[in-house]
Amino acid sequence: MTIDKQLPSTRTAELDSICLKAEVIPVITIERLEDAVPLGRALVEGGLSVLEITLRTDCALEAIKRMKEALPGASIGVGTVLTPAQYRQAEQVGADFVVTPGATDALYRYGVESPVPMLPGVSTISELMTGWQYGYRRFKFFPAESSGGAKAIKAFGAPIPEARFCPTGGIKQDTAADWLALDQVLCVGGSWLVPQGEVDREAIRARAQSATRLV
Ligand code: 3PG
């Protein structure tokens, strides 16, 4: 593998402003298109204005388009991006950022030239080192709880102290604060704010409000 291109260093500050805007990023899977805007609005009203919509359902891209239009103050990211083709789709619907569960060379390369910032998912020091060579400094740590938890993130900090993370995977309301207290953690993500099938806007707003009190 030849690393012939590098991410511009300005990308780090762009990602920091997204990660630090709310510090808790709901990971949302939209099952029904008509739920997208009401769910997003409930989260924003509850104080969470950075949302990750997963590409796990057929209506995800259209949902993101609608949320972008209806919630102009929110930062809407596209998650579960597995390939450069999906990264391109995220660009086309106006995503503010892209999140990947893992990091392939193809995604790292695509992200270097994309106008849309990416938080690549890593769970090992080798994936982190590869991203580092491309100029990536901000990563999703996934799946956080089952990949060594806080101990793993702290261990990554010995060889690569400047890396910063958004841990996701198994994090809940009652564990998020411990993650946020780590020096290397900028924000946390998770689906606990909108559990699968949840459409009760009041409950979602209340969960978002509880999450904002963590930071
Ligand atoms: C993700 O893609 O980030 C995860 O599905 C979120 O993990 P969680 O469901 O364990 O919060």
Side-chain angles (χ1 to χ4, degrees):
M1 178 186 67
T2 317
I3 296 180
D4 50 6
K5 38 189 181 180
Q6 277 239 323
L7 196 68
S9 57
T10 49
R11 203 26 75 82
T12 303
E14 278 177 66
L15 282 163
D16 283 355
S17 72
I18 292 167
C19 291
L20 295 171
K21 191 168 160 187
E23 295 186 39
V24 175
I25 304 182
V27 177
I28 311 154
T29 297
I30 304 287
E31 309 282 349
R32 295 185 316 171
L33 191 52
E34 61 270 32
D35 296 331
V37 170
L39 292 185
R41 189 164 283 131
L43 289 162
V44 172
E45 285 169 2
L48 300 181
S49 56
V50 182
L51 313 177
E52 176 188 330
I53 313 302
T54 68
L55 280 189
R56 295 179 201 169
T57 53
D58 291 342
C59 65
L61 288 167
E62 184 56 30
I64 292 154
K65 257 195 228 169
R66 291 191 187 185
M67 291 167 95
K68 282 287 299 171
E69 274 169 29
L71 306 167
S75 301
I76 312 281
V78 178
T80 321
V81 169
L82 307 178
T83 63
Q86 289 178 321
Y87 199 141
R88 196 171 314 115
Q89 289 177 318
E91 293 169 350
Q92 285 163 352
V93 293
D96 295 302
F97 63 101
V98 157
V99 187
T100 71
T104 63
D105 199 47
L107 281 168
Y108 274 142
R109 293 178 73 81
Y110 192 88
V112 162
E113 293 194 301
S114 172
V116 179
M118 165 172 70
L119 264 184
V122 298
S123 65
T124 67
I125 190 71
S126 301
E127 293 156 339
L128 181 57
M129 284 165 61
T130 303
W132 198 261
Q133 285 179 279
Y134 277 107
Y136 291 86
R137 302 291 179 260
R138 304 295 182 248
F139 301 86
K140 165 170 165 151
F141 175 47
F142 179 79
E145 294 285 3
S146 55
S147 302
K151 280 188 185 165
I153 272 205
K154 285 186 198 156
F156 293 161
I160 309 190
E162 298 92 353
R164 294 290 177 272
F165 301 90
C166 171
T168 310
I171 298 176
K172 305 275 183 245
Q173 173 74 21
D174 57 352
T175 53
D178 287 344
W179 283 101
L180 287 166
L182 301 174
D183 288 345
Q184 291 139 297
V185 169
L186 294 173
C187 61
V188 297
S191 63
W192 87 88
L193 295 133
V194 185
Q196 205 179 352
E198 170 77 271
V199 288
D200 178 344
R201 277 187 269 164
E202 234 359 276
I204 292 169
R205 191 180 299 119
R207 266 189 229 108
Q209 278 166 344
S210 305
T212 60
R213 287 194 282 274
L214 292 167
V215 297

